[in-house]
Amino acid sequence: MSKIFKNIGIFESLILLVIILFNILLVSYPLTNVLGFEFSAVNAILLSFIAGILIIHLLSKEGGKILSLYYSFKQNWLIILLISFLPLVISIISTILTQGCPISEGLLFYFIITLPSLFLGIALGFLSFSLSPKFRYYWFVLFFFVTVFLWIFEIYFNPQIYFYNPVIGFFPGTIYDEDISITATLLFYRVFIVIVSGIIIFVAEKMYNLNWIKKTLVVLLFIFSGIGFYFLKPYVNLATSQERMQNELRGEVKTEHFNIYFSEDIPLEKIKNFVVNHEYYYSQIKKILKRKDDFITTSFIFKSGEQKRKLFGADRADVTKPWLQQIYLNKDDVLNVLKHELAHVFSAKYGTTILKLSHNFNPALIEGFAMAIENNYDNYEVHYLASIAFHSKYKVKLINLFSGFNFYLSTSSFSYIYAGSFMKYLADKYGIEKITYLYGNGDFQKYFGKGIKELSEEYFNFIESYSIDSNKNIANYYFGRKAIFQKYCVRYAANRLKNAWHDYQSGAFNKAKREFSKIYDYSKSYSALAGLVNSLLKTKNNNEAEKILKANLEYFEGSAQYYSLELSLADALVRNYKFNEAKKYYSNLLTQRPRYNYSFLAKLRIDMLNFNSKLLNSYLTASVFDKYELLKYYYTKTKDQASLYSMISLSEQLNQSYSNFMKQLVKKTNKKDIFLNFALFLEGNYSADNSDFKGALNLLQKINHAKELRKFKHSINENIIRLSWIIGNKDRILSSTKFF
């Protein structure tokens, strides 16, 4: 035993102690407390650095007599194995004890991300020692940090937010994408890094006895090879240059203030709609901020989340790079998020550093600024939702929210709403100019004459007195969600869920059912439960679906997902011909009113039950096309406005003709009928999305003063202003727009 440990001296023992203590600390934090992507990526950085330092130390102990990887491993195999696998052992224990997540995929991340980086660290250590034994540590630190931070150039200059890095491995670019999986591209890249590391070691062994001139030439060869690979990366799908982005999207238009690149699969009429809305929001934000300068913004529009993930790196999150004046949007999200993302572009003028972001990159200032300008969250004003949250159980200390990166510790809607509402309050009371100064400096005392604590007290007095119809269910819907840091087995579950839903979509319902059941057992994920229930219903296990929903509904009480499960349970009861019990749950949803869609869905089902229970049963089990046909039949018989929400949604899924769809609708208003008035609101937005701006304006003007829609009055007025502007300026804008 003593022979085995004879080469582990004080230095080696200290290194092992550092690894152990660091990893014990690491497993005490969210995301890194389980064996997965984050744990592996952090250890990739740590172990690659330690491996390089260690190999230099071991070579120094030998006096540099033999520069050989084989000899070094033969003499020091135990210490190398210990630094390689101690973190893995610690993480497996933590994973089993804290969350009980499966470790199979975590093992893959460790072997594909961490271990190749460790080998690269050894290679850089060999190269540094071979280059100059005297300055070996200085060279290694230089090589290591240059290698680690190469990604900065890609993120700064390229239209991407993901990166592949020799040390870190891969970074997806956003915490909003829970699904991070091992892909063929990542596997190829890590094998490539191992091969390159082997080449570096081989060359370092050969160059050890060369003179300094030849050594310099070898190092220059490595440097120029690295630079060459940096520019080659877009051609092997490891980076996205401006040229690659434009070539893959292919569509292009130029307006007075925008260069818009878009997937050529998007219809031209839709692009024209996007063009006029881009110019409208540009003019509106410029007016709000009292700006006189003009600038060009580049907008990239992707046909799908899949295309966006491939080219940009984040399939769900719409993102802005203020320093490049670029925004990146999914086709289906453009009109919902455009104002918010353009506000980020405008904020660049007030930002600091070369990134043009807020003081200390404070996310509450970044997003609070954009939300204050947008002042719209799902058709509500930000003050309304902040007041709903405040009067329910969802409260926040603004001094904490605006400190460091605490913004991300709460669910995104919670942080966005409060930050935006607070910033809008300050802008309205003290002037928008002071908000722009605060954005770049972060000093509340300097610009408002009061610290954030005193301003917070003012703000909450305002929010407390804000006139609302208090509804805890609305608060639960928008704020009753877990932040990613609070979820269990988040990365593993997200990846398995993606595969399970793929099985479901392809019709393999029994396979999907088994996978959803396994995922739900360890993650308690709503998506897994929903998938399990849907799979059971598809395989006509209606009684089991009802039983599972009843057993798990209470677990989700107080969360956003509770209402969807209530609806699913009621639907399952209808399939089991328990109509009275189903009606009870539908009625609960109508009373709760968490969001307008649930009100429409529940009211439609109650009305259909009263009209013909068999029709509802048929509707719930029908295909998308048959659902649409059944609803058309039902609407012609009843003129039930509660069916409009589902009809519009199904029409969009089926790409139905807009003009034919609108011809069949009843155009009337009733000040006391919220479903009719809100149906007209939905129709108005639907018309605007389909470029029928005059028709949309006419619909919204009819309901502008409906008392039943007072919570949405701001959104209605904003849309009326937008549509009026577009109608007056559309021809001018499109006539000067260049289509390529």
Side-chain angles (χ1 to χ4, degrees), residues 157-191:
F157 292 107
N158 287 347
Q160 66 183 77
I161 202 166
Y162 72 96
F163 62 79
Y164 289 87
N165 179 267
V167 175
I168 300 170
F170 171 72
F171 181 69
T174 174
I175 64 171
Y176 296 103
D177 286 342
E178 297 179 2
D179 169 31
I180 302 175
S181 56
I182 305 295
T183 63
T185 303
L186 176 59
L187 186 59
F188 158 77
Y189 180 68
R190 299 311 279 166
V191 170

Side-chain angles (χ1 to χ4, degrees), residues 9-21:
I10 296 175
F11 183 82
E12 291 86 348
S13 299
L14 286 173
I15 281 181
L16 291 175
L17 182 62
V18 168
I19 291 173
I20 292 170
L21 292 177

Side-chain angles (χ1 to χ4, degrees), residues 516-562:
F516 283 128
S517 181
K518 291 177 184 176
I519 298 168
Y520 186 70
D521 284 343
Y522 63 76
S523 70
K524 290 296 181 283
S525 160
Y526 160 75
S527 183
L529 179 59
L532 173 59
V533 169
N534 285 333
S535 298
L536 288 169
L537 293 175
K538 285 291 186 180
T539 53
K540 301 191 184 303
N541 291 302
N542 300 334
N543 288 324
E544 189 177 352
E546 177 191 334
K547 181 180 177 181
I548 287 175
L549 282 167
K550 284 182 175 178
N552 289 277
L553 186 62
E554 187 177 345
Y555 175 78
F556 289 90
E557 190 169 1
S559 73
Q561 294 80 19
Y562 180 79

Side-chain angles (χ1 to χ4, degrees), residues 273 658 662 667 680-697 699 723:
N273 191 322
Y658 164 75
M662 294 300 289
K667 303 295 188 300
L680 292 175
F681 181 40
L682 294 177
E683 286 179 49
N685 291 336
Y686 179 61
S687 297
D689 290 348
N690 284 275
S691 302
D692 180 8
F693 302 116
K694 290 182 179 179
L697 180 62
L699 286 167
L723 292 167

Side-chain angles (χ1 to χ4, degrees), residues 8 57 62 96 124 126 133 163 172 203 235 237 337 384 425 488 536-537 587 608 618 642 660 678 686 694 720:
I8 300 181
H57 170 74
E62 299 294 333
I96 294 172
L124 294 177
F126 264 87
F163 62 79
V203 172
Y235 298 98
N237 297 333
V337 303
Y384 176 83
Y425 168 77
Y488 286 91
L536 288 169
L537 293 175
S587 298
M608 289 183 79
S618 299
N660 290 339
F678 204 92
Y686 179 61
K694 290 182 179 179
I720 288 173

Side-chain angles (χ1 to χ4, degrees), residues 55-73:
I55 205 68
I56 292 173
H57 170 74
L58 296 176
L59 291 171
S60 300
K61 282 174 63 176
E62 299 294 333
K65 295 176 183 177
I66 301 176
L67 194 69
S68 165
L69 178 63
Y70 171 77
Y71 179 80
S72 297
F73 186 80

